[in-house]
PDB file of all heavy atoms in Angstrom:
ATOM      1  N   LEU A 555      -3.573   1.934  -0.149  1.00  0.00           N
ATOM      2  CA  LEU A 555      -2.242   1.351  -0.010  1.00  0.00           C
ATOM      3  C   LEU A 555      -1.604   1.797   1.295  1.00  0.00           C
ATOM      4  O   LEU A 555      -1.030   0.987   2.031  1.00  0.00           O
ATOM      5  CB  LEU A 555      -1.369   1.751  -1.193  1.00  0.00           C
ATOM      6  CG  LEU A 555       0.084   1.276  -1.168  1.00  0.00           C
ATOM      7  CD1 LEU A 555       0.159  -0.234  -1.067  1.00  0.00           C
ATOM      8  CD2 LEU A 555       0.829   1.773  -2.399  1.00  0.00           C
ATOM      9  N   LEU A 558      -3.194  -0.042   4.136  1.00  0.00           N
ATOM     10  CA  LEU A 558      -2.741  -1.431   4.206  1.00  0.00           C
ATOM     11  C   LEU A 558      -1.384  -1.527   4.887  1.00  0.00           C
ATOM     12  O   LEU A 558      -1.154  -2.385   5.730  1.00  0.00           O
ATOM     13  CB  LEU A 558      -2.683  -2.017   2.794  1.00  0.00           C
ATOM     14  CG  LEU A 558      -2.352  -3.499   2.639  1.00  0.00           C
ATOM     15  CD1 LEU A 558      -3.007  -4.057   1.385  1.00  0.00           C
ATOM     16  CD2 LEU A 558      -0.846  -3.738   2.568  1.00  0.00           C
ATOM     17  N   LEU A 559      -0.482  -0.607   4.555  1.00  0.00           N
ATOM     18  CA  LEU A 559       0.854  -0.629   5.153  1.00  0.00           C
ATOM     19  C   LEU A 559       0.793  -0.270   6.638  1.00  0.00           C
ATOM     20  O   LEU A 559       1.477  -0.875   7.458  1.00  0.00           O
ATOM     21  CB  LEU A 559       1.768   0.334   4.400  1.00  0.00           C
ATOM     22  CG  LEU A 559       2.092  -0.049   2.956  1.00  0.00           C
ATOM     23  CD1 LEU A 559       2.879   1.058   2.268  1.00  0.00           C
ATOM     24  CD2 LEU A 559       2.855  -1.360   2.898  1.00  0.00           C
ATOM     25  N   ARG A 563      -0.238  -5.477   7.901  1.00  0.00           N
ATOM     26  CA  ARG A 563      -0.566  -6.804   7.368  1.00  0.00           C
ATOM     27  C   ARG A 563       0.636  -7.479   6.725  1.00  0.00           C
ATOM     28  O   ARG A 563       0.775  -8.704   6.806  1.00  0.00           O
ATOM     29  CB  ARG A 563      -1.702  -6.670   6.354  1.00  0.00           C
ATOM     30  CG  ARG A 563      -2.075  -7.989   5.697  1.00  0.00           C
ATOM     31  CD  ARG A 563      -3.218  -7.842   4.726  1.00  0.00           C
ATOM     32  NE  ARG A 563      -3.447  -9.079   3.996  1.00  0.00           N
ATOM     33  CZ  ARG A 563      -4.342  -9.208   3.025  1.00  0.00           C
ATOM     34  NH1 ARG A 563      -5.082  -8.180   2.678  1.00  0.00           N
ATOM     35  NH2 ARG A 563      -4.479 -10.359   2.397  1.00  0.00           N
ATOM     36  N   ILE A 564       1.504  -6.700   6.080  1.00  0.00           N
ATOM     37  CA  ILE A 564       2.675  -7.317   5.438  1.00  0.00           C
ATOM     38  C   ILE A 564       3.974  -6.912   6.133  1.00  0.00           C
ATOM     39  O   ILE A 564       5.054  -7.067   5.574  1.00  0.00           O
ATOM     40  CB  ILE A 564       2.740  -6.970   3.939  1.00  0.00           C
ATOM     41  CG1 ILE A 564       2.884  -5.448   3.731  1.00  0.00           C
ATOM     42  CG2 ILE A 564       1.531  -7.519   3.197  1.00  0.00           C
ATOM     43  CD1 ILE A 564       3.233  -5.078   2.305  1.00  0.00           C
ATOM     44  N   GLY A 565       3.873  -6.403   7.339  1.00  0.00           N
ATOM     45  CA  GLY A 565       5.068  -6.091   8.106  1.00  0.00           C
ATOM     46  C   GLY A 565       5.662  -4.737   7.785  1.00  0.00           C
ATOM     47  O   GLY A 565       4.977  -3.835   7.300  1.00  0.00           O
ATOM     48  N   ARG A 566       6.942  -4.612   8.035  1.00  0.00           N
ATOM     49  CA  ARG A 566       7.650  -3.337   7.862  1.00  0.00           C
ATOM     50  C   ARG A 566       8.217  -3.227   6.450  1.00  0.00           C
ATOM     51  O   ARG A 566       8.949  -4.095   5.999  1.00  0.00           O
ATOM     52  CB  ARG A 566       8.794  -3.245   8.885  1.00  0.00           C
ATOM     53  CG  ARG A 566       9.653  -1.994   8.753  1.00  0.00           C
ATOM     54  CD  ARG A 566      10.722  -1.976   9.829  1.00  0.00           C
ATOM     55  NE  ARG A 566      11.566  -3.162   9.773  1.00  0.00           N
ATOM     56  CZ  ARG A 566      12.619  -3.292   8.945  1.00  0.00           C
ATOM     57  NH1 ARG A 566      12.934  -2.309   8.108  1.00  0.00           N
ATOM     58  NH2 ARG A 566      13.351  -4.397   8.977  1.00  0.00           N
ATOM     59  N   PRO A 567       7.892  -2.156   5.722  1.00  0.00           N
ATOM     60  CA  PRO A 567       8.431  -1.976   4.371  1.00  0.00           C
ATOM     61  C   PRO A 567       9.957  -1.884   4.392  1.00  0.00           C
ATOM     62  O   PRO A 567      10.549  -1.270   5.280  1.00  0.00           O
ATOM     63  CB  PRO A 567       7.812  -0.660   3.906  1.00  0.00           C
ATOM     64  CG  PRO A 567       6.569  -0.518   4.718  1.00  0.00           C
ATOM     65  CD  PRO A 567       6.908  -1.099   6.062  1.00  0.00           C
ATOM     66  N   THR A 568      10.588  -2.516   3.401  1.00  0.00           N
ATOM     67  CA  THR A 568      12.042  -2.493   3.298  1.00  0.00           C
ATOM     68  C   THR A 568      12.529  -2.048   1.916  1.00  0.00           C
ATOM     69  O   THR A 568      13.651  -1.579   1.783  1.00  0.00           O
ATOM     70  CB  THR A 568      12.639  -3.881   3.585  1.00  0.00           C
ATOM     71  OG1 THR A 568      12.140  -4.819   2.612  1.00  0.00           O
ATOM     72  CG2 THR A 568      12.265  -4.354   4.981  1.00  0.00           C
ATOM     73  N   LEU A 569      11.691  -2.215   0.877  1.00  0.00           N
ATOM     74  CA  LEU A 569      12.125  -1.932  -0.489  1.00  0.00           C
ATOM     75  C   LEU A 569      10.927  -1.517  -1.330  1.00  0.00           C
ATOM     76  O   LEU A 569       9.848  -2.104  -1.220  1.00  0.00           O
ATOM     77  CB  LEU A 569      12.769  -3.187  -1.102  1.00  0.00           C
ATOM     78  CG  LEU A 569      13.234  -3.104  -2.557  1.00  0.00           C
ATOM     79  CD1 LEU A 569      14.429  -2.165  -2.690  1.00  0.00           C
ATOM     80  CD2 LEU A 569      13.596  -4.494  -3.083  1.00  0.00           C
ATOM     81  N   VAL A 570      11.137  -0.495  -2.186  1.00  0.00           N
ATOM     82  CA  VAL A 570      10.097  -0.070  -3.119  1.00  0.00           C
ATOM     83  C   VAL A 570      10.704   0.031  -4.512  1.00  0.00           C
ATOM     84  O   VAL A 570      11.818   0.518  -4.690  1.00  0.00           O
ATOM     85  CB  VAL A 570       9.470   1.273  -2.681  1.00  0.00           C
ATOM     86  CG1 VAL A 570      10.524   2.376  -2.564  1.00  0.00           C
ATOM     87  CG2 VAL A 570       8.366   1.697  -3.643  1.00  0.00           C
ATOM     88  N   CYS A 571       9.972  -0.471  -5.500  1.00  0.00           N
ATOM     89  CA  CYS A 571      10.429  -0.430  -6.894  1.00  0.00           C
ATOM     90  C   CYS A 571       9.312   0.146  -7.753  1.00  0.00           C
ATOM     91  O   CYS A 571       8.163  -0.312  -7.679  1.00  0.00           O
ATOM     92  CB  CYS A 571      10.773  -1.832  -7.394  1.00  0.00           C
ATOM     93  SG  CYS A 571      12.074  -2.658  -6.454  1.00  0.00           S
ATOM     94  N   LEU A 680       4.343  -0.148  -9.590  1.00  0.00           N
ATOM     95  CA  LEU A 680       4.865   0.068  -8.244  1.00  0.00           C
ATOM     96  C   LEU A 680       4.749  -1.214  -7.437  1.00  0.00           C
ATOM     97  O   LEU A 680       3.703  -1.871  -7.448  1.00  0.00           O
ATOM     98  CB  LEU A 680       4.080   1.189  -7.551  1.00  0.00           C
ATOM     99  CG  LEU A 680       4.583   1.638  -6.173  1.00  0.00           C
ATOM    100  CD1 LEU A 680       5.935   2.325  -6.301  1.00  0.00           C
ATOM    101  CD2 LEU A 680       3.576   2.575  -5.513  1.00  0.00           C
ATOM    102  N   GLU A 681       5.830  -1.569  -6.751  1.00  0.00           N
ATOM    103  CA  GLU A 681       5.805  -2.685  -5.813  1.00  0.00           C
ATOM    104  C   GLU A 681       6.490  -2.267  -4.524  1.00  0.00           C
ATOM    105  O   GLU A 681       7.522  -1.592  -4.561  1.00  0.00           O
ATOM    106  CB  GLU A 681       6.512  -3.917  -6.391  1.00  0.00           C
ATOM    107  CG  GLU A 681       5.734  -4.601  -7.496  1.00  0.00           C
ATOM    108  CD  GLU A 681       6.294  -5.964  -7.858  1.00  0.00           C
ATOM    109  OE1 GLU A 681       7.510  -6.186  -7.671  1.00  0.00           O
ATOM    110  OE2 GLU A 681       5.505  -6.797  -8.334  1.00  0.00           O
ATOM    111  N   ILE A 682       5.897  -2.677  -3.410  1.00  0.00           N
ATOM    112  CA  ILE A 682       6.490  -2.438  -2.095  1.00  0.00           C
ATOM    113  C   ILE A 682       6.674  -3.791  -1.428  1.00  0.00           C
ATOM    114  O   ILE A 682       5.735  -4.584  -1.312  1.00  0.00           O
ATOM    115  CB  ILE A 682       5.609  -1.525  -1.233  1.00  0.00           C
ATOM    116  CG1 ILE A 682       5.471  -0.148  -1.891  1.00  0.00           C
ATOM    117  CG2 ILE A 682       6.199  -1.385   0.174  1.00  0.00           C
ATOM    118  CD1 ILE A 682       4.529   0.792  -1.171  1.00  0.00           C
ATOM    119  N   HIS A 683       7.910  -4.067  -1.019  1.00  0.00           N
ATOM    120  CA  HIS A 683       8.244  -5.327  -0.374  1.00  0.00           C
ATOM    121  C   HIS A 683       8.522  -5.071   1.107  1.00  0.00           C
ATOM    122  O   HIS A 683       9.179  -4.087   1.464  1.00  0.00           O
ATOM    123  CB  HIS A 683       9.461  -5.951  -1.054  1.00  0.00           C
ATOM    124  CG  HIS A 683       9.273  -6.100  -2.538  1.00  0.00           C
ATOM    125  ND1 HIS A 683       8.449  -7.054  -3.092  1.00  0.00           N
ATOM    126  CD2 HIS A 683       9.780  -5.386  -3.583  1.00  0.00           C
ATOM    127  CE1 HIS A 683       8.472  -6.953  -4.410  1.00  0.00           C
ATOM    128  NE2 HIS A 683       9.272  -5.945  -4.735  1.00  0.00           N
ATOM    129  N   ALA A 684       7.999  -5.937   1.943  1.00  0.00           N
ATOM    130  CA  ALA A 684       8.083  -5.751   3.391  1.00  0.00           C
ATOM    131  C   ALA A 684       8.493  -7.055   4.059  1.00  0.00           C
ATOM    132  O   ALA A 684       8.647  -8.095   3.413  1.00  0.00           O
ATOM    133  CB  ALA A 684       6.742  -5.263   3.934  1.00  0.00           C
ATOM    134  N   THR A 685       8.661  -6.994   5.370  1.00  0.00           N
ATOM    135  CA  THR A 685       9.134  -8.167   6.110  1.00  0.00           C
ATOM    136  C   THR A 685       8.133  -9.307   6.105  1.00  0.00           C
ATOM    137  O   THR A 685       8.502 -10.456   6.344  1.00  0.00           O
ATOM    138  CB  THR A 685       9.446  -7.772   7.562  1.00  0.00           C
ATOM    139  OG1 THR A 685       8.282  -7.150   8.147  1.00  0.00           O
ATOM    140  CG2 THR A 685      10.627  -6.813   7.629  1.00  0.00           C
ATOM    141  N   GLY A 686       6.857  -9.000   5.839  1.00  0.00           N
ATOM    142  CA  GLY A 686       5.841 -10.046   5.866  1.00  0.00           C
ATOM    143  C   GLY A 686       5.101 -10.238   4.563  1.00  0.00           C
ATOM    144  O   GLY A 686       4.058 -10.901   4.540  1.00  0.00           O
ATOM    145  N   GLY A 687       5.614  -9.665   3.472  1.00  0.00           N
ATOM    146  CA  GLY A 687       4.926  -9.839   2.193  1.00  0.00           C
ATOM    147  C   GLY A 687       5.220  -8.718   1.220  1.00  0.00           C
ATOM    148  O   GLY A 687       6.152  -7.922   1.424  1.00  0.00           O
ATOM    149  N   SER A 688       4.410  -8.627   0.183  1.00  0.00           N
ATOM    150  CA  SER A 688       4.605  -7.632  -0.874  1.00  0.00           C
ATOM    151  C   SER A 688       3.257  -7.139  -1.382  1.00  0.00           C
ATOM    152  O   SER A 688       2.248  -7.848  -1.288  1.00  0.00           O
ATOM    153  CB  SER A 688       5.388  -8.236  -2.044  1.00  0.00           C
ATOM    154  OG  SER A 688       6.663  -8.701  -1.639  1.00  0.00           O
ATOM    155  N   VAL A 689       3.259  -5.925  -1.930  1.00  0.00           N
ATOM    156  CA  VAL A 689       2.089  -5.405  -2.631  1.00  0.00           C
ATOM    157  C   VAL A 689       2.535  -4.923  -4.001  1.00  0.00           C
ATOM    158  O   VAL A 689       3.660  -4.435  -4.161  1.00  0.00           O
ATOM    159  CB  VAL A 689       1.393  -4.259  -1.869  1.00  0.00           C
ATOM    160  CG1 VAL A 689       0.783  -4.768  -0.581  1.00  0.00           C
ATOM    161  CG2 VAL A 689       2.363  -3.117  -1.592  1.00  0.00           C
ATOM    162  N   SER A 690       1.660  -5.071  -4.999  1.00  0.00           N
ATOM    163  CA  SER A 690       2.003  -4.733  -6.368  1.00  0.00           C
ATOM    164  C   SER A 690       0.835  -4.032  -7.032  1.00  0.00           C
ATOM    165  O   SER A 690      -0.313  -4.463  -6.900  1.00  0.00           O
ATOM    166  CB  SER A 690       2.363  -6.006  -7.145  1.00  0.00           C
ATOM    167  OG  SER A 690       2.730  -5.712  -8.471  1.00  0.00           O
ATOM    168  N   LEU A 691       1.138  -2.932  -7.726  1.00  0.00           N
ATOM    169  CA  LEU A 691       0.129  -2.173  -8.471  1.00  0.00           C
ATOM    170  C   LEU A 691       0.532  -2.166  -9.939  1.00  0.00           C
ATOM    171  O   LEU A 691       1.648  -1.759 -10.283  1.00  0.00           O
ATOM    172  CB  LEU A 691       0.027  -0.729  -7.979  1.00  0.00           C
ATOM    173  CG  LEU A 691      -0.620  -0.467  -6.620  1.00  0.00           C
ATOM    174  CD1 LEU A 691       0.335  -0.795  -5.496  1.00  0.00           C
ATOM    175  CD2 LEU A 691      -1.070   0.996  -6.530  1.00  0.00           C
ATOM    176  N   ILE A 701      -5.154  -3.573  -6.046  1.00  0.00           N
ATOM    177  CA  ILE A 701      -3.854  -3.844  -5.448  1.00  0.00           C
ATOM    178  C   ILE A 701      -3.701  -5.350  -5.295  1.00  0.00           C
ATOM    179  O   ILE A 701      -4.616  -6.022  -4.813  1.00  0.00           O
ATOM    180  CB  ILE A 701      -3.737  -3.155  -4.071  1.00  0.00           C
ATOM    181  CG1 ILE A 701      -3.888  -1.636  -4.203  1.00  0.00           C
ATOM    182  CG2 ILE A 701      -2.407  -3.497  -3.409  1.00  0.00           C
ATOM    183  CD1 ILE A 701      -3.963  -0.915  -2.874  1.00  0.00           C
ATOM    184  N   ASN A 702      -2.566  -5.862  -5.719  1.00  0.00           N
ATOM    185  CA  ASN A 702      -2.264  -7.284  -5.532  1.00  0.00           C
ATOM    186  C   ASN A 702      -1.427  -7.441  -4.266  1.00  0.00           C
ATOM    187  O   ASN A 702      -0.434  -6.739  -4.083  1.00  0.00           O
ATOM    188  CB  ASN A 702      -1.510  -7.821  -6.743  1.00  0.00           C
ATOM    189  CG  ASN A 702      -2.287  -7.618  -8.032  1.00  0.00           C
ATOM    190  OD1 ASN A 702      -3.481  -7.921  -8.107  1.00  0.00           O
ATOM    191  ND2 ASN A 702      -1.625  -7.085  -9.045  1.00  0.00           N
ATOM    192  N   VAL A 703      -1.829  -8.366  -3.398  1.00  0.00           N
ATOM    193  CA  VAL A 703      -1.193  -8.523  -2.088  1.00  0.00           C
ATOM    194  C   VAL A 703      -0.689  -9.952  -1.929  1.00  0.00           C
ATOM    195  O   VAL A 703      -1.410 -10.917  -2.208  1.00  0.00           O
ATOM    196  CB  VAL A 703      -2.180  -8.196  -0.947  1.00  0.00           C
ATOM    197  CG1 VAL A 703      -1.493  -8.348   0.406  1.00  0.00           C
ATOM    198  CG2 VAL A 703      -2.756  -6.789  -1.105  1.00  0.00           C
ATOM    199  N   TYR A 704       0.551 -10.059  -1.469  1.00  0.00           N
ATOM    200  CA  TYR A 704       1.159 -11.362  -1.179  1.00  0.00           C
ATOM    201  C   TYR A 704       1.607 -11.320   0.275  1.00  0.00           C
ATOM    202  O   TYR A 704       2.544 -10.605   0.624  1.00  0.00           O
ATOM    203  CB  TYR A 704       2.360 -11.587  -2.100  1.00  0.00           C
ATOM    204  CG  TYR A 704       2.989 -12.965  -2.016  1.00  0.00           C
ATOM    205  CD1 TYR A 704       2.713 -13.927  -2.972  1.00  0.00           C
ATOM    206  CD2 TYR A 704       3.876 -13.287  -1.000  1.00  0.00           C
ATOM    207  CE1 TYR A 704       3.299 -15.187  -2.927  1.00  0.00           C
ATOM    208  CE2 TYR A 704       4.473 -14.539  -0.943  1.00  0.00           C
ATOM    209  CZ  TYR A 704       4.180 -15.483  -1.901  1.00  0.00           C
ATOM    210  OH  TYR A 704       4.751 -16.718  -1.842  1.00  0.00           O
ATOM    211  N   ALA A 705       0.905 -12.035   1.133  1.00  0.00           N
ATOM    212  CA  ALA A 705       1.201 -12.017   2.561  1.00  0.00           C
ATOM    213  C   ALA A 705       1.723 -13.375   3.006  1.00  0.00           C
ATOM    214  O   ALA A 705       1.163 -14.420   2.652  1.00  0.00           O
ATOM    215  CB  ALA A 705      -0.037 -11.647   3.360  1.00  0.00           C
ATOM    216  N   ILE A 706       2.798 -13.355   3.777  1.00  0.00           N
ATOM    217  CA  ILE A 706       3.337 -14.588   4.343  1.00  0.00           C
ATOM    218  C   ILE A 706       2.471 -14.990   5.531  1.00  0.00           C
ATOM    219  O   ILE A 706       2.223 -14.196   6.436  1.00  0.00           O
ATOM    220  CB  ILE A 706       4.793 -14.393   4.779  1.00  0.00           C
ATOM    221  CG1 ILE A 706       5.663 -14.052   3.559  1.00  0.00           C
ATOM    222  CG2 ILE A 706       5.326 -15.642   5.473  1.00  0.00           C
ATOM    223  CD1 ILE A 706       7.088 -13.696   3.914  1.00  0.00           C
ATOM    224  N   PRO A 713       4.732 -19.504   2.377  1.00  0.00           N
ATOM    225  CA  PRO A 713       4.083 -18.341   1.758  1.00  0.00           C
ATOM    226  C   PRO A 713       2.693 -18.678   1.236  1.00  0.00           C
ATOM    227  O   PRO A 713       2.425 -19.778   0.769  1.00  0.00           O
ATOM    228  CB  PRO A 713       5.026 -17.976   0.614  1.00  0.00           C
ATOM    229  CG  PRO A 713       5.678 -19.274   0.262  1.00  0.00           C
ATOM    230  CD  PRO A 713       5.834 -20.026   1.548  1.00  0.00           C
ATOM    231  N   SER A 714       1.805 -17.721   1.313  1.00  0.00           N
ATOM    232  CA  SER A 714       0.481 -17.868   0.722  1.00  0.00           C
ATOM    233  C   SER A 714       0.537 -17.389  -0.721  1.00  0.00           C
ATOM    234  O   SER A 714       1.531 -16.843  -1.169  1.00  0.00           O
ATOM    235  CB  SER A 714      -0.538 -17.036   1.507  1.00  0.00           C
ATOM    236  OG  SER A 714      -0.222 -15.655   1.399  1.00  0.00           O
ATOM    237  N   ALA A 715      -0.528 -17.599  -1.452  1.00  0.00           N
ATOM    238  CA  ALA A 715      -0.590 -17.158  -2.843  1.00  0.00           C
ATOM    239  C   ALA A 715      -0.913 -15.667  -2.898  1.00  0.00           C
ATOM    240  O   ALA A 715      -1.366 -15.065  -1.922  1.00  0.00           O
ATOM    241  CB  ALA A 715      -1.650 -17.962  -3.587  1.00  0.00           C
ATOM    242  N   TRP A 716      -0.661 -15.092  -4.068  1.00  0.00           N
ATOM    243  CA  TRP A 716      -1.070 -13.703  -4.282  1.00  0.00           C
ATOM    244  C   TRP A 716      -2.590 -13.591  -4.145  1.00  0.00           C
ATOM    245  O   TRP A 716      -3.338 -14.434  -4.644  1.00  0.00           O
ATOM    246  CB  TRP A 716      -0.689 -13.254  -5.686  1.00  0.00           C
ATOM    247  CG  TRP A 716       0.743 -12.870  -5.861  1.00  0.00           C
ATOM    248  CD1 TRP A 716       1.742 -13.636  -6.375  1.00  0.00           C
ATOM    249  CD2 TRP A 716       1.339 -11.605  -5.539  1.00  0.00           C
ATOM    250  NE1 TRP A 716       2.922 -12.943  -6.384  1.00  0.00           N
ATOM    251  CE2 TRP A 716       2.713 -11.690  -5.881  1.00  0.00           C
ATOM    252  CE3 TRP A 716       0.849 -10.423  -4.983  1.00  0.00           C
ATOM    253  CZ2 TRP A 716       3.586 -10.629  -5.696  1.00  0.00           C
ATOM    254  CZ3 TRP A 716       1.731  -9.369  -4.801  1.00  0.00           C
ATOM    255  CH2 TRP A 716       3.079  -9.479  -5.144  1.00  0.00           C
ATOM    256  N   ARG A 717      -3.021 -12.545  -3.484  1.00  0.00           N
ATOM    257  CA  ARG A 717      -4.434 -12.199  -3.485  1.00  0.00           C
ATOM    258  C   ARG A 717      -4.584 -11.039  -4.459  1.00  0.00           C
ATOM    259  O   ARG A 717      -4.135  -9.918  -4.187  1.00  0.00           O
ATOM    260  CB  ARG A 717      -4.916 -11.796  -2.090  1.00  0.00           C
ATOM    261  CG  ARG A 717      -6.404 -11.475  -2.060  1.00  0.00           C
ATOM    262  CD  ARG A 717      -6.856 -10.996  -0.702  1.00  0.00           C
ATOM    263  NE  ARG A 717      -8.255 -10.578  -0.736  1.00  0.00           N
ATOM    264  CZ  ARG A 717      -8.840  -9.876   0.228  1.00  0.00           C
ATOM    265  NH1 ARG A 717      -8.155  -9.542   1.302  1.00  0.00           N
ATOM    266  NH2 ARG A 717     -10.096  -9.528   0.123  1.00  0.00           N
ATOM    267  N   ARG A 718      -5.182 -11.303  -5.587  1.00  0.00           N
ATOM    268  CA  ARG A 718      -5.224 -10.324  -6.665  1.00  0.00           C
ATOM    269  C   ARG A 718      -6.541  -9.558  -6.666  1.00  0.00           C
ATOM    270  O   ARG A 718      -7.579 -10.062  -6.251  1.00  0.00           O
ATOM    271  CB  ARG A 718      -5.025 -11.019  -8.017  1.00  0.00           C
ATOM    272  CG  ARG A 718      -3.676 -11.722  -8.125  1.00  0.00           C
ATOM    273  CD  ARG A 718      -3.439 -12.291  -9.512  1.00  0.00           C
ATOM    274  NE  ARG A 718      -2.146 -12.959  -9.595  1.00  0.00           N
ATOM    275  CZ  ARG A 718      -0.995 -12.340  -9.834  1.00  0.00           C
ATOM    276  NH1 ARG A 718      -0.980 -11.030 -10.026  1.00  0.00           N
ATOM    277  NH2 ARG A 718       0.140 -13.014  -9.885  1.00  0.00           N
ATOM    278  N   VAL A 720      -7.459  -6.703  -5.049  1.00  0.00           N
ATOM    279  CA  VAL A 720      -7.979  -6.092  -3.826  1.00  0.00           C
ATOM    280  C   VAL A 720      -8.314  -4.647  -4.153  1.00  0.00           C
ATOM    281  O   VAL A 720      -7.434  -3.853  -4.477  1.00  0.00           O
ATOM    282  CB  VAL A 720      -6.954  -6.160  -2.683  1.00  0.00           C
ATOM    283  CG1 VAL A 720      -7.510  -5.483  -1.436  1.00  0.00           C
ATOM    284  CG2 VAL A 720      -6.594  -7.607  -2.400  1.00  0.00           C
TER     285      VAL A 720
END
Side-chain angles (χ1 to χ4, degrees):
L555 177 58
L558 185 151
L559 293 174
R563 177 179 173 184
I564 62 168
R566 177 178 58 83
T568 61
L569 177 69
V570 58
C571 300
L680 186 67
E681 288 192 333
I682 298 175
H683 306 286
T685 55
S688 300
V689 293
S690 181
L691 288 77
I701 300 173
N702 303 312
V703 181
Y704 187 101
I706 297 174
S714 64
W716 280 99
R717 182 184 175 194
R718 299 185 180 276
V720 178

